[in-house]
Amino acid sequence: MNVAKSGYRVFSANSSVACTELAKKITERLGVELGKSVVYQESNRETRVDVKESVRGQTIFIIQTIPRDVNTAIMELLVMAYALKTSCAKNIIGVIPYFPYSKQCKMRKRGSIVCKLLASMLAKAGLTHIITMDLHQKEIQGFFSFPVDNLRASPFLLQYIQEEIPDYRNAIIVAKSPSAAKRAQSYAERLRLGLAVMHGEAQCSESDMADGRHSPPCVRNTTGHPGLELPLMMAKEKPPITVVGDVGGRIAIIVVVVTNTVPHEVQKLQCPKIKTVDVSMILAEAIRRIHNGESMAYLFRNITVDD
């Protein structure tokens, strides 16, 4: 495809191996060239972005994976989006397969909802749309003042299980915690497999329990009204790890495989059992459909409510 006439560009927001490889796979599927830009850190760790070609009047897609240094990746995305905005790009769409700070989407004590703050920062920087995958909570989409396409990786993972695990019919899907049971159930139902749930946590050794760190002294609150006695607060305690479900003699599937939405080269070296599934196809198709103004419904077929 002639890049100059395509009406859109695809840029990589950092020079990490994982981000560059994912961006190249996406552009190869789209038949376009990767946009020319340089993203680097100054000697004082400030982020600098130089866009090496004209983007005036173009729709721009920014690919950004989130490595271990999350905050640097966020600054790279913000600075690049603002650079494209001030270069008169028509639309700026972030392709962020794993959205950072998505677990901080609820108020906890005197904390803050950081995910909403990040959504506001992205809009201020110039983003007009984002494509992401498997948000921690689907309600996060309400934090944004622009459209969000929350794609799913489950079809690729289900396909891998069916094609790569011998005798997968003798397997059982295991949820690592009760909170993951709904998603695990949706996998189990589509694969026609059983479900097991892990509950509880590893117990501490006797020496750890003896030093009292898990049992704070029972102190009555004497700062209130002298005639008011508040009930003692008991420390929360979880039972030891147990498995609910029949896993005897079966293949237990917890995490067999991961996607290339997050860099994990080091983890693969540490654990050779980790396998990677490429999701560049669905990201490229999402980019094509958004640019052409086509419906995204096709990308959500066979997706359950619990996914």
Side-chain angles (χ1 to χ4, degrees), residues 101 104-105 113-121 140 142-144:
Y101 287 103
Q104 296 191 44
C105 60
I113 306 177
V114 184
C115 189
K116 181 173 174 56
L117 170 64
L118 181 56
S120 301
M121 292 168 63
I140 290 174
F143 293 162
F144 295 85

Side-chain angles (χ1 to χ4, degrees), residues 17 33 42 55 78 112 127 129 163 182-183 186 190 222 225 240 258 263:
V17 175
E33 295 179 2
E42 297 277 14
V55 296
L78 292 172
S112 61
L127 286 176
H129 192 151
E163 295 179 355
K182 280 190 175 181
R183 179 165 292 186
S186 72
R190 281 179 283 178
T222 59
H225 192 278
V258 297

Side-chain angles (χ1 to χ4, degrees), residues 25 45 101 158 161-162 187 234 254:
K25 288 179 179 179
R45 303 294 295 169
Y101 287 103
L158 293 172
I161 291 173
Q162 292 173 322
Y187 279 60
M234 301 299 294
I254 303 177

Side-chain angles (χ1 to χ4, degrees), residues 172-190:
I172 185 169
I173 303 296
V174 181
K176 65 178 182 178
S177 65
S179 61
K182 280 190 175 181
R183 179 165 292 186
Q185 182 179 0
S186 72
Y187 279 60
E189 289 175 350
R190 281 179 283 178

